[in-house]
Amino acid sequence: MPLFALHRRIPQRLREKLVHLEARHTKAGKRRSIPLCNHAYKAILRRASFRSEHCPGTPWVFSFADGRRARDIRGAFSKACSDAGIENFHFHDLRHTCAAWLVTAGAPLAEIRDLLGYSTIQMTERYAHLAPENLRTTVARFESRLSHADPNIQQEAI
């Protein structure tokens, strides 16, 4: 089935590129919604296409061709790492990698906390050291406000 035809049958929330997690499915025990990047959205559409073709009666997005629910990805993840020659890497390490990449891209720690489902901002602060230039940008914003407030303030090159 073509993806555009499948798209019409996808629930509205998913078409909005949002995944809704019930509290019982989150580590912090809190209900939340996660926006999907285009790669993740397309991957879920491919899974939906697979399900539509092989096991249309199953309610599971991640299932085997016979409709059984895929409950654990450890084996598949371990094999993928092995095939790629990656050693000593675990599925949960992807969460840390994501947090590190977001920090270095300049994302605010509070947004990283919310996106990755950390229960406190302190959990995300361990990544702050990865982007000291973000602090320089914050100081530059402050200096910009000072110069607007008092035109006599001269900005010096650092």
Side-chain angles (χ1 to χ4, degrees):
M1 171 181 302
L3 286 181
F4 67 89
L6 178 66
H7 184 76
R8 280 186 248 122
R9 296 185 355 192
I10 300 292
Q12 178 64 29
R13 290 179 178 166
L14 189 55
R15 281 197 307 260
E16 294 171 356
K17 296 183 181 179
L18 285 174
V19 171
H20 299 279
L21 302 174
E22 295 298 327
R24 69 182 184 276
H25 298 296
T26 68
K27 188 174 177 181
K30 295 179 182 173
R31 183 180 180 186
R32 61 194 182 100
S33 296
I34 307 296
L36 295 171
C37 68
N38 287 329
H39 292 291
Y41 180 69
K42 288 177 183 176
I44 288 178
L45 287 181
R46 284 191 303 274
R47 289 302 308 168
S49 180
F50 172 88
R51 181 179 67 183
S52 175
E53 181 181 338
H54 297 284
C55 48
T58 189
W60 311 114
V61 173
F62 299 99
S63 65
F64 296 99
D66 63 4
R68 286 179 299 121
R69 178 181 177 188
R71 293 189 172 271
D72 191 349
I73 60 143
R74 281 181 278 208
F77 186 78
S78 179
K79 182 175 179 347
C81 287
S82 177
D83 290 352
I86 299 171
E87 297 177 9
N88 195 28
F89 192 73
H90 307 279
F91 188 77
H92 192 76
D93 296 334
L94 295 172
R95 187 178 193 205
H96 299 298
T97 301
C98 181
W101 287 0
L102 288 168
V103 166
T104 57
L109 294 180
E111 290 178 14
I112 296 169
R113 175 202 59 209
D114 294 344
L115 181 65
L116 298 181
Y118 289 116
S119 55
T120 66
I121 197 73
Q122 288 79 14
M123 295 298 292
T124 55
E125 285 178 345
R126 62 182 140 171
Y127 302 103
H129 71 281
L130 298 173
E133 66 278 359
N134 293 346
L135 296 177
R136 289 188 192 91
T137 302
T138 300
V139 169
R141 287 185 195 130
F142 179 71
E143 286 177 339
S144 171
R145 292 290 293 163
L146 285 177
S147 64
H148 291 304
D150 185 351
N152 297 324
I153 293 178
Q154 300 276 332
Q155 289 193 8
E156 296 179 20
I158 298 177

